[in-house]
Amino acid sequence: LEDVELTADITNTSGAQVLTQADAPETPVSPTPIRDAVLALVLGLVLGTGLAFLIDTLDERIRSVADLEQVSGGVPTLALVPEVEKGHTDSFVAVRDDPKSPQAEAFRSLRTALKFAGLERPMKVVQITSAAQGEGKTTTVANLAVALAQGGDRVAIVCCDLRRPRVQERFGVDLTPGLTDVLVGDATLADALRRYD
């Protein structure tokens, strides 16, 4: 009631009246540097951690051997082969032409891993394939074949790429007669095999 009477009094006098004396605050209302810094730190950590987890969850690229084995359902990785530098001729085979290179050593490691994988049941056939062209099938076949031959194994390469066969370029042999000629009966297997030393 007193407040209503006081407000009515002020409107009747059309002037300003001091209701209570204003006191100066002892501490500033804003900014509060310590509180703002702590709040910014906590928010930064929460948002940064959340963003890192989101990016990691959405990133489906394969960056390590562990990622590869997880995607492949636990199939072990036999070897990691570094990419062969560009600029070599079509007949370049690292194991044969640059035997001290990291690529040649990686293919020899692949040969050894294949031999260990076949201890219980020796492998007679190894198939090299990929989903798209340009992923290194020909390079892998040529280098693995030379590495196996250098290890004392007898090797026969059967190139089943009917659209863009290129294995013959690595060894400097003729393309025909080839697999198709043998399959349709135009040539015998002995005619299609070519010896490479």
Side-chain angles (χ1 to χ4, degrees):
L1 186 59
E2 285 177 3
D3 287 344
V4 172
E5 288 174 358
L6 187 57
T7 306
D9 228 10
I10 292 172
T11 52
N12 287 342
T13 59
S14 70
Q17 183 178 0
V18 176
L19 296 177
T20 55
Q21 192 67 27
D23 296 328
E26 295 175 6
T27 58
V29 175
S30 182
T32 52
I34 294 174
R35 185 192 71 196
D36 292 347
V38 169
L39 186 63
L41 180 67
V42 170
L43 281 175
L45 285 173
V46 169
L47 289 175
T49 305
L51 186 62
F53 278 119
L54 179 67
I55 289 172
D56 188 50
T57 302
L58 296 177
D59 185 13
E60 294 181 349
R61 291 179 287 184
I62 298 172
R63 295 177 182 236
S64 67
V65 175
D67 291 345
L68 179 61
E69 289 178 354
Q70 181 182 6
V71 169
S72 66
V75 175
T77 301
L78 297 178
L80 294 175
V81 179
E83 188 174 355
V84 176
E85 298 88 20
K86 302 289 184 200
H88 294 292
T89 62
D90 288 342
S91 64
F92 179 75
V93 177
V95 175
R96 176 192 66 202
D97 301 330
D98 192 7
K100 295 185 179 184
S101 68
Q103 293 84 10
E105 185 58 36
F107 283 112
R108 285 190 288 272
S109 294
L110 176 59
R111 172 194 65 197
T112 305
L114 282 172
K115 288 192 176 258
F116 275 118
L119 282 178
E120 292 179 15
R121 201 175 78 194
M123 288 185 245
K124 297 197 185 265
V125 176
V126 176
Q127 178 181 350
I128 309 293
T129 188
S130 71
Q133 67 181 17
E135 293 183 341
K137 295 179 291 291
T138 301
T139 301
T140 302
V141 165
N143 281 284
L144 183 59
V146 172
L148 285 166
Q150 288 175 350
D153 292 318
R154 291 180 52 169
V155 180
I157 299 174
V158 179
C159 180
C160 298
D161 189 343
L162 301 180
R163 290 189 309 146
R164 295 188 63 210
R166 303 206 38 212
V167 174
Q168 77 283 356
E169 295 171 2
R170 302 296 173 114
F171 298 103
V173 296
D174 291 331
L175 181 61
T176 55
L179 175 66
T180 308
D181 298 314
V182 173
L183 293 176
V184 297
D186 290 343
T188 65
L189 182 60
D191 293 336
L193 287 174
R194 273 152 328 266
R195 185 174 182 83
Y196 178 82
D197 293 318

